[in-house]
Amino acid sequence: MEAFKHQQRSLKEELWCLGFLMSGSVSKRMITCGNSSCACRKDPAARHGPYIYWTTKRKGKTVARLIKNEEAQLYMEWVQNRKKLDQIIRKWTRLSERTFKTALQLRLMMKKGPKGSP
């Protein structure tokens, strides 16, 4: 059980080190404009951009927001922190599943008390 607890402490430390969190993703896009005579309509290499977008879900709908270059780095860091959190949760859940039988056996043994006692 100590090995499981050690792994759990390690995951707690990872959680403690996380910074702020942001859901979604950050991506760069090349855009075709609304001008019908613009070269971007015919030549993909002539598209405008790159423009940086932060995309997430709000109330079940995808929302994309154009962000400035200065904002992009912070968004990317916080989105990465969110991904790390999700990874820690998955690890913790797997650890809990592996630990369950051992923890249950220990709990049952503690309820019974020492051998020979009622």
Side-chain angles (χ1 to χ4, degrees), residues 26-73:
V26 176
S27 60
K28 291 183 180 180
R29 299 182 192 165
M30 302 299 286
I31 305 294
T32 304
C33 73
N35 184 348
S36 60
S37 62
C38 185
C40 71
R41 291 277 183 186
K42 296 178 184 166
D43 182 10
R47 289 187 179 151
H48 305 282
Y51 294 103
I52 305 172
Y53 285 87
W54 168 66
T55 306
T56 191
K57 291 275 190 181
R58 294 280 186 245
K59 297 181 182 178
K61 298 195 181 228
T62 302
V63 177
R65 178 175 168 243
L66 180 64
I67 58 176
K68 298 176 183 174
N69 287 337
E70 306 83 49
E71 296 175 306
Q73 185 61 40

